[in-house]
């Protein structure tokens, strides 16, 4: 205590001799300035506590209006943060010890008091009271913390758990965790890893922090962050955070980043593809045009017609590319229309085959089931079959047949197209319908990678399904199944009939 400090002391003593003696002891202590207020009864002391501020209470246990622990109980209730030093006779020393356990900070035995003992006791009482207040504030803060906080003994058993810690693990009452072992929240693999990492870190730095997966009381796993600090007297403090939301956010951000990268890759691939696919027919058109400009007057009509055919073919190729990209754009914006009309599927397929078949790649067409007129959108159907048949021909590099089966069933129609071409590697098969994606074994074969994406979108527009089976160098089988409505059913449902 500083020399100029002034302490307010409330002395409760019904013996005037004892009160005078205590004041004399305080006056002999020249390190501190004292102001002593003396009262003889507990009632008067409670009035003083209500009206004035004090730093410490010195109280006899035997008063005219209170005796024993009752005195301490009432004083502590009136001033719970004020330190109390009990004055007792030798024969009441046991009661004095109980009073300390009930909230008093120290006691003095009358007849054994001197200046040094009084000063020491007052100082100790004030310091202990201040420490208790700080500890109480810390305890309240820990209990109210949103972070899970637990104290574990040297055997990693819980000796203290705040409500947040218990709540993170799904317990309604923190007492349910007391004396249980910390390892109950982790599977054996996690236990082994954590034990090794934590023990090594605590030995080196007395501290460990890391992430792991724990299990709630209902066995549900969740991501958590742990901070573990070794206590000087043994045991550890564990701070627990549930980071499941953070992990989900991080995963979503990673997924968004990956999607952005994939979009950038597809954009670059698209630009490269468009540049390549348009450059070839444009080059053909340019060469044919220059040739006609220079030599048309010298060539025969037949030779000139060949150049004209090159120009027409180039224009048709670019038109097909543009149409495919327009279809992709409309599908992406959900603008693709579906307008079913009565179709003779047998004639429809045969007319399409006639435009695509070549001597190198014959298309073998077969019909199964009872052929009948049904309702489908011819534009959408032509997109599906044209792309599938063209792919079957294109990727049959060394020739080979293309088998095309049309299979009728009561409520659906199936188109089966099998080739004997290069096939599709297994690792590429789950990516076939991604726009601009091409198999890793296509080599220098021309293509945009949007044909199957268009087929997939058209099949879904018809509420159908598509399945692909393929083996490298063995060929590919693609089966498209579409639900159908017979013409008679459409007419029956038409309110105009």
């Amino acid at each position: 205590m500083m020399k100029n400090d002034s302490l307010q002391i409330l002395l409760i003593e019904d013996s005037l001799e004892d009160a005078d003696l205590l004041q004399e002891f305080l006056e002999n202590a020249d390190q501190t300035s004292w102001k002593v207020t003396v009262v003889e009864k507990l009632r008067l002391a409670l009035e003083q506590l209500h009206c004035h501020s004090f730093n410490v209470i010195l109280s006899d246990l035997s008063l005219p209006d209170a005796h024993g622990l009752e005195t301490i109980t009432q004083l502590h209730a009136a001033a719970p943060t004020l330190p109390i030093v009990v004055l007792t006779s030798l024969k009441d020393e046991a009661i004095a010890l109980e009073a300390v356990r009930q909230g008093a900070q120290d006691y003095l035995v009358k007849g054994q008091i001197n200046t040094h003992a009084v000063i020491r006791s007052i100082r100790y009482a004030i310091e202990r009271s201040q420490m208790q207040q700080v500890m109480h504030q810390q305890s309240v803060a820990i209990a109210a913390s949103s972070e899970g906080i637990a104290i574990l003994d040297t055997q990693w058993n819980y000796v203290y758990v705040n409500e947040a810690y218990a709540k993170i693990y799904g317990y309604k009452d923190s007492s349910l965790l007391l004396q249980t072992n910390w390892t109950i929240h982790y599977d054996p693999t996690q236990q082994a890893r954590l034990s090794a990492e934590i023990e090594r870190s605590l030995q080196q730095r007395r501290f460990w922090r890391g992430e792991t997966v724990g299990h709630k009381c209902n066995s549900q796993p969740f991501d958590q962050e742990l901070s573990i600090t070794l206590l000087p007297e043994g045991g550890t403090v564990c701070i627990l955070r549930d980071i499941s939301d953070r992990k989900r956010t991080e995963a979503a951000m990673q997924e968004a980043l990956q999607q952005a990268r994939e979009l950038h890759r597809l954009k670059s691939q698209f630009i490269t593809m468009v540049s390549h696919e348009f450059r070839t027919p444009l080059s053909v058109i340019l060469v044919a045009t220059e040739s006609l400009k220079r030599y048309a007057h010298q060539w025969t009509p037949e030779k000139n017609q060949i150049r004209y055919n090159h120009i027409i073919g180039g224009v048709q190729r670019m038109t097909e590319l543009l149409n495919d990209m327009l279809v992709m754009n409309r599908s992406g914006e959900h603008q693709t229309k579906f307008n079913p009309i009565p179709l003779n599927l047998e004639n429809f397929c045969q007319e399409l085959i006639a435009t695509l078949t070549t001597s190198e790649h014959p298309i073998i067409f077969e019909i199964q089931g009872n052929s009948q007129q049904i309702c489908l959108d011819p534009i959408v159907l032509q997109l599906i079959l044209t792309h599938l048949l063209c792919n079957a021909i294109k990727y049959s590099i060394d020739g080979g047949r293309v088998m095309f089966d049309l299979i009728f069933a009561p409520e659906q129609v199936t188109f089966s197209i099998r080739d004997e071409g290069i096939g599709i590697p297994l690792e590429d098969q789950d990516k076939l319908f991604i726009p601009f994606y091409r198999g890793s074994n296509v080599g220098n074969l021309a293509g945009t990678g949007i044909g199957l994406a268009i087929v997939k979108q058209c099949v879904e527009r018809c509420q159908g399904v598509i399945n692909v089976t393929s083996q490298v160098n063995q060929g590919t089988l693609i089966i498209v199944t579409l639900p159908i409505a017979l013409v008679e059913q459409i007419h029956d449902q038409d309110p105009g009939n």
Side-chain angles (χ1 to χ4, degrees):
M1 299 178 186
M2 299 296 291
K3 185 175 181 178
N4 294 325
D5 288 344
S6 178
L7 290 181
Q8 303 292 324
I9 299 174
L10 177 61
L11 175 57
I12 311 170
E13 177 59 71
D14 61 337
S15 171
L16 294 179
E17 291 180 0
D18 289 341
D20 290 340
L21 181 61
L22 283 167
Q23 291 186 78
E24 183 179 340
F25 289 148
L26 293 172
E27 290 173 358
N28 292 334
D30 58 357
Q31 297 96 337
T32 306
S33 174
W34 312 93
K35 182 177 180 181
V36 181
T37 300
V38 181
V39 294
E40 299 176 0
K41 296 181 180 180
L42 178 61
R43 176 180 59 78
L44 298 175
L46 296 177
E47 291 176 359
Q48 288 291 327
L49 290 172
H50 180 72
C51 300
H52 304 285
S53 297
F54 296 92
N55 299 109
V56 66
I57 298 173
L58 274 64
S59 178
D60 192 353
L61 283 178
S62 298
L63 298 172
D65 55 349
H67 183 76
L69 295 179
E70 177 189 357
T71 305
I72 302 303
T73 301
Q74 294 194 45
L75 288 173
H76 191 65
T81 62
L82 202 58
I84 302 172
V85 177
V86 173
L87 303 173
T88 183
S89 63
L90 185 60
K91 65 178 181 180
D92 292 329
E93 189 170 0
I95 298 177
L97 286 171
E98 182 61 27
V100 171
R101 284 192 286 269
Q102 294 292 329
Q105 273 65 44
D106 201 1
Y107 72 95
L108 292 170
V109 178
K110 295 179 181 180
Q112 299 178 357
I113 301 175
N114 55 43
T115 298
H116 174 74
V118 172
I119 301 304
R120 180 203 60 78
S121 184
I122 290 176
R123 286 178 174 175
Y124 173 77
I126 293 174
E127 290 172 359
R128 186 166 183 249
S129 176
Q130 291 173 343
M131 186 180 300
Q132 287 177 337
Q133 291 179 45
V134 171
M135 291 176 64
H136 175 72
Q137 292 169 354
Q138 291 175 340
S139 176
V140 170
I142 290 172
S145 174
S146 60
E147 292 185 329
I149 301 174
I151 299 176
L152 301 96
D153 62 19
T154 55
Q155 302 301 314
W156 296 85
N157 295 317
Y158 292 112
V159 295
Y160 171 81
V161 175
N162 74 346
E163 292 298 327
Y165 193 98
K167 185 177 180 181
I168 289 174
Y169 277 115
Y171 293 93
K172 293 182 178 180
D173 188 346
S174 60
S175 64
L176 296 173
L177 280 170
L178 296 180
Q179 301 308 314
T180 63
N181 195 270
W182 181 71
T183 57
I184 65 172
H185 303 120
Y186 305 97
D187 60 37
T189 302
Q190 291 288 352
Q191 288 180 26
R193 179 183 73 84
L194 290 172
S195 296
E197 289 186 13
I198 293 172
E199 183 177 357
R200 183 171 58 253
S201 182
L202 292 183
Q203 288 176 353
Q204 295 173 353
R205 300 182 295 144
R206 306 180 65 84
F207 174 79
W208 179 87
R209 174 180 290 170
E211 295 179 2
T212 185
V213 176
H215 293 268
K216 295 180 181 290
C217 62
N218 61 0
S219 300
Q220 177 186 352
F222 70 101
D223 294 301
Q224 60 179 227
E225 181 183 82
L226 293 174
S227 299
I228 297 178
T229 304
L230 193 63
L231 294 172
E233 62 274 15
T236 54
V237 173
C238 175
I239 299 177
L240 171 70
R241 301 178 184 87
D242 184 342
I243 58 172
S244 301
D245 291 341
R246 190 184 82 189
K247 285 290 186 180
R248 283 191 288 269
T249 301
E250 289 175 354
M253 291 176 65
Q254 286 295 328
E255 183 178 355
L257 181 59
Q258 184 60 34
Q259 290 177 351
R261 288 172 178 166
E262 181 65 12
L263 183 62
H264 178 73
R265 186 190 68 78
L266 291 175
K267 180 180 177 182
S268 299
Q269 185 175 332
F270 172 76
I271 293 172
T272 302
M273 177 273 297
V274 169
S275 300
H276 174 76
E277 293 297 321
F278 275 94
R279 184 182 292 114
T280 301
L282 283 172
S283 298
V284 171
I285 294 171
L286 180 61
V287 171
T289 304
E290 290 291 336
S291 299
L292 287 171
K293 182 178 179 181
R294 291 188 179 187
Y295 307 112
H297 63 285
Q298 301 177 12
W299 290 342
T300 63
E302 291 79 9
K303 196 170 184 177
N304 284 333
Q305 186 60 46
I306 292 174
R307 300 300 185 276
Y308 287 128
N309 289 341
H310 288 168
I311 294 172
I312 293 171
V315 171
Q316 288 176 340
R317 175 58 183 155
M318 288 193 295
T319 301
E320 291 171 359
L321 287 170
L322 286 172
N323 286 338
D324 282 349
M325 284 186 280
L326 288 173
V327 170
M328 282 292 297
N329 183 62
R330 286 197 298 270
S331 298
E333 296 177 356
H334 307 288
Q335 296 178 357
T336 303
K337 295 181 179 180
F338 182 66
N339 299 311
I341 61 173
L343 287 179
N344 185 315
L345 273 189
E346 182 177 350
N347 292 341
F348 183 90
C349 292
Q350 288 177 337
E351 290 174 3
L352 183 61
I353 291 170
T355 64
L356 298 176
T357 192
T358 65
S359 58
E360 295 84 4
H361 299 286
I363 299 176
I364 301 172
F365 181 58
E366 293 186 359
I367 300 175
Q368 301 178 30
N370 297 323
S371 177
Q372 51 192 324
Q373 195 175 43
I374 61 175
C375 286
L376 282 173
D377 187 323
I379 297 176
V380 173
L381 184 60
Q382 184 172 10
L383 282 170
I384 294 171
L385 297 179
T386 298
H387 279 291
L388 292 180
L389 290 170
C390 286
N391 277 357
I393 294 171
K394 180 195 302 184
Y395 295 112
S396 298
I397 302 174
D398 299 324
R401 301 169 300 169
V402 174
M403 281 68 74
F404 179 17
D405 294 339
L406 173 60
I407 305 167
F408 289 95
E411 296 181 353
Q412 65 184 30
V413 62
T414 299
F415 304 91
S416 172
I417 298 174
R418 181 194 298 272
D419 64 56
E420 300 173 338
I422 63 175
I424 305 166
L426 183 62
E427 62 270 18
D428 293 330
Q429 292 183 19
D430 60 343
K431 305 173 185 175
L432 285 178
F433 302 113
I434 298 176
F436 313 118
Y437 184 87
R438 304 193 70 204
S440 56
N441 63 333
V442 298
N444 294 323
L445 289 173
T448 62
I450 60 176
L452 285 179
I454 290 174
V455 171
K456 175 76 169 177
Q457 291 174 351
C458 289
V459 169
E460 290 176 348
R461 189 67 188 85
C462 298
Q463 298 183 343
V465 293
I466 181 170
N467 293 292
V468 179
T469 305
S470 185
Q471 283 186 301
V472 175
N473 298 323
Q474 297 295 317
T476 300
L477 169 64
I478 298 182
I479 297 176
V480 173
T481 303
L482 304 179
I484 59 171
L486 300 178
V487 174
E488 293 81 3
Q489 294 173 331
I490 297 295
H491 288 163
D492 292 342
Q493 296 172 8
D494 189 349
N497 287 344

